[in-house]
Amino acid sequence: MKQNNLYVFVAASLALLVPAPGRLAFGIILILSLNITMLIGTLFRKLISILKFDDLQSVLVAMMLVCVTMLQKLLLTFYNPVYALTLGFLLYLPSLSSFLIGYFFDPSREPLILELKENMSQSLRFSLFALILFFLRDIFGYGTITFPASKGLLSIDLSVKPFLLQIGNFVASIPGTLVLVGLVIVFQLHIMRKMRIIANIEGVAINKEEKEESEANGEESEK
């Protein structure tokens, strides 16, 4: 993961994952909203570029994000009003987070296929991390695995020992989520540092080999 992508990852985690309820069912809804907004936003940004409305891109993108979010909330209200009430303002966070805005407000210069591939791959990588986090919070915090349903939550009860639930309550809480996100970020930074060191060592070795080859070729030419 690149350094700028890591900053986006941190911002998205703090905006979307920390304040959300620690239930997998709500996580699925938020992540689905995130990916739908990313897809529509990428297509809409390319449409702005085709129509030569680049000067109005910021305003048009902001209007698009608001409209898409309101439509999603309306559809969720029809599906299950309790979900819309429980999530509340959290449904607006995918559109407001830098994870989405950082891409949509940049000018569209690449072909549509490449932009879709880049944006959706980034979105799906974050979605996988988010779903794993919601899954762990649901299991250790509540001893269940929940899925969205038109009436309430589809819950699978697990036989989790009480003392594990007491510890898991911290994982399901906002401070516990902050700790989990922080640990993941520290791990990613550690991996990035190791990869950078390996790349530097390989680069030095390649330069040394090229220098030795050039010196050998120079000696042969002098002979």
Side-chain angles (χ1 to χ4, degrees):
M1 181 179 291
K2 298 180 181 178
Q3 190 72 19
N4 58 337
N5 288 342
L6 180 62
Y7 296 144
V8 172
F9 184 88
V10 173
S13 299
L14 296 177
L16 298 178
L17 305 183
V18 174
R23 291 284 192 172
L24 180 61
F26 296 126
I28 292 174
I29 294 173
L30 290 175
I31 295 305
L32 182 61
S33 172
L34 175 71
N35 286 278
I36 292 174
T37 308
M38 179 68 81
L39 177 61
I40 295 176
T42 304
L43 297 174
F44 187 78
R45 187 179 66 171
K46 177 57 67 175
L47 179 62
I48 292 175
S49 178
I50 294 174
L51 297 177
K52 307 298 182 183
F53 289 160
D54 296 335
D55 295 338
L56 300 174
Q57 179 171 337
S58 298
V59 177
L60 293 175
V61 167
M63 293 175 60
M64 179 274 300
L65 291 175
V66 173
C67 292
V68 169
T69 305
M70 292 178 64
L71 179 60
Q72 291 178 355
K73 187 171 184 179
L74 181 63
L75 294 175
L76 182 61
T77 303
F78 282 121
Y79 178 71
N80 192 324
V82 177
Y83 291 171
L85 181 63
T86 302
L87 293 175
F89 76 96
L90 294 176
L91 292 171
Y92 295 92
L93 292 181
S95 298
L96 298 176
S97 67
S98 61
F99 185 70
L100 296 173
I101 296 175
Y103 289 99
F104 293 163
F105 284 92
D106 294 336
S108 177
R109 297 188 178 94
E110 301 293 335
L112 179 60
I113 297 299
L114 292 179
E115 290 186 355
L116 282 173
K117 182 179 179 181
E118 179 181 357
N119 288 359
M120 295 311 299
S121 62
Q122 180 78 355
S123 179
L124 291 175
R125 282 196 296 269
F126 176 79
S127 299
L128 178 61
F129 162 73
L131 288 176
I132 293 174
L133 187 63
F134 279 114
F135 181 75
L136 294 176
R137 292 177 68 188
D138 203 352
I139 290 179
F140 292 106
Y142 302 96
T144 60
I145 300 177
T146 55
F147 298 95
S150 58
K151 295 182 180 179
L153 294 175
L154 179 59
S155 178
I156 301 176
D157 294 327
L158 304 176
S159 56
V160 180
K161 296 182 179 180
F163 78 93
L164 290 178
L165 285 178
Q166 293 177 0
I167 300 175
N169 286 334
F170 175 75
V171 178
S173 65
I174 291 179
T177 307
L178 282 172
V179 172
L180 287 178
V181 172
L183 290 175
V184 172
I185 293 171
V186 170
F187 177 75
Q188 288 181 339
L189 287 173
H190 178 72
I191 296 298
M192 289 172 58
R193 190 177 295 109
K194 293 296 184 181
M195 293 177 63
R196 193 179 298 114
I197 293 174
I198 293 173
N200 291 335
I201 294 175
E202 291 179 350
V204 171
I206 292 174
N207 292 333
K208 184 177 180 180
E209 291 178 358
E210 292 177 351
K211 184 178 180 180
E212 292 176 352
E213 290 179 359
S214 62
E215 291 177 353
N217 293 333
E219 293 176 357
E220 292 179 358
S221 62
E222 291 178 358
K223 292 180 182 180

